[in-house]
Amino acid sequence: QQPVQSPQAVILREGEDAVINCSSSKALYSVHWYRQKHGEAPVFLMILLKGGEQKGHEKISASFNEKKQQSSLYLTASQLSYSGTYFCGTSGQGAQKLVFGQGTRLTINP
Amino acid sequence: DAGVTQSPTHLIKTRGQQVTLRCSPKSGHDTVSWYQQALGQGPQFIFQYYEEEERQRGNFPDRFSGHQFPNYSSELNVNALLLGDSALYLCASSLAPISTDTQYFGPGTRLTVL
């Protein structure tokens, strides 16, 4: 089952904050977040693992609620470069196959 | 350090033809996964190769097949092309085929079927 992302689209002014949610009906072992700009490859942002471990390399934070099978991505003090479509990909234990949500389109205006 | 590379960048084919797409993984990576991304949608998993074997497969027909070479590069073959096969085909590589490992995507091959 494909995870459900919300909202589908959001428009912000530079400097504002955004939260993007990802919900699954299946038990999750890991949640992977990517950002994709138009015509480009998805760029890795962060992995959240069952048990609380978090791996990432950008100034973006996220949470993983195992009980609710949900993850949220937090973008604070947004910059113009944050514009793009954000995807969450989920996987079960032992399976690297990622099932992606439909994406959240984020537009940052000056 | 070279990232994931894919070729060709764009491809136009007609219905019924066959196509081969190529992927070279990031240096040090031995696992390659292929995804299909239709316009406005998230990527959909096709299959994964590790140690030259198909390890996992998504919900795609047998018209989609692949191969991994000893140098870890990979090919995706699609036979009897349909209009619905038009999409961006993404290759992703990782250090190992485990769910805790990061998958790095290549720039993709845009396939148009006429």
Side-chain angles (χ1 to χ4, degrees), chain B residues 29-87:
Chain B
H29 287 187
D30 60 8
T31 303
V32 173
S33 300
W34 286 92
Y35 292 81
Q36 179 195 66
Q37 187 176 27
L39 204 59
Q41 302 293 318
Q44 272 197 292
F45 178 80
I46 303 175
F47 43 53
Q48 181 184 74
Y49 277 86
Y50 173 67
E51 293 185 336
E52 302 181 50
E53 288 186 6
E54 183 182 295
R55 295 292 174 143
Q56 279 189 279
R57 189 176 184 91
N59 190 23
F60 279 81
D62 291 343
R63 298 188 297 110
F64 289 78
S65 63
H67 188 77
Q68 186 178 36
F69 299 94
N71 66 352
Y72 309 124
S73 67
S74 177
E75 287 183 348
L76 164 65
N77 301 294
V78 187
N79 294 322
L81 285 167
L82 304 174
L83 295 178
D85 294 333
S86 294

Side-chain angles (χ1 to χ4, degrees), chain A residues 64-75:
Chain A
F64 183 9
N65 187 321
E66 295 172 33
K67 282 186 178 179
K68 293 185 177 180
Q69 306 302 332
Q70 287 179 347
S71 177
S72 295
L73 188 71
Y74 305 96
L75 306 167

Side-chain angles (χ1 to χ4, degrees), chain A residues 12-27:
Chain A
L12 299 175
R13 289 201 177 277
E14 199 173 4
E16 292 182 333
D17 301 339
V19 180
I20 300 172
N21 301 302
C22 174
S23 297
S24 175
S25 58
K26 295 180 70 174

Side-chain angles (χ1 to χ4, degrees), chain A residues 31-94:
Chain A
V31 180
H32 304 230
W33 285 96
Y34 290 83
R35 176 174 59 219
Q36 186 176 31
K37 294 183 181 285
H38 184 69
E40 298 180 10
V43 173
F44 167 74
L45 297 175
M46 182 165 296
I47 288 181
L48 296 112
L49 308 176
K50 189 174 181 177
E53 186 180 349
Q54 179 175 295
K55 297 193 289 183
H57 59 75
E58 286 202 19
K59 295 179 183 179
I60 294 173
S61 63
S63 64
F64 183 9
N65 187 321
E66 295 172 33
K67 282 186 178 179
K68 293 185 177 180
Q69 306 302 332
Q70 287 179 347
S71 177
S72 295
L73 188 71
Y74 305 96
L75 306 167
T76 57
S78 59
Q79 305 169 17
L80 295 176
S81 62
Y82 286 7
S83 290
T85 301
Y86 288 76
F87 292 99
C88 69
T90 60
S91 69
Q93 186 172 6

Side-chain angles (χ1 to χ4, degrees), chain A residues 29-30 32 34 36 41 55 96, chain B residues 37 48 94 96 98 100 103 106:
Chain A
Y29 190 76
S30 66
H32 304 230
Y34 290 83
Q36 186 176 31
K55 297 193 289 183
Q96 201 184 32
Chain B
Q37 187 176 27
Q48 181 184 74
S94 58
I98 55 176
T100 56
Q103 293 186 46

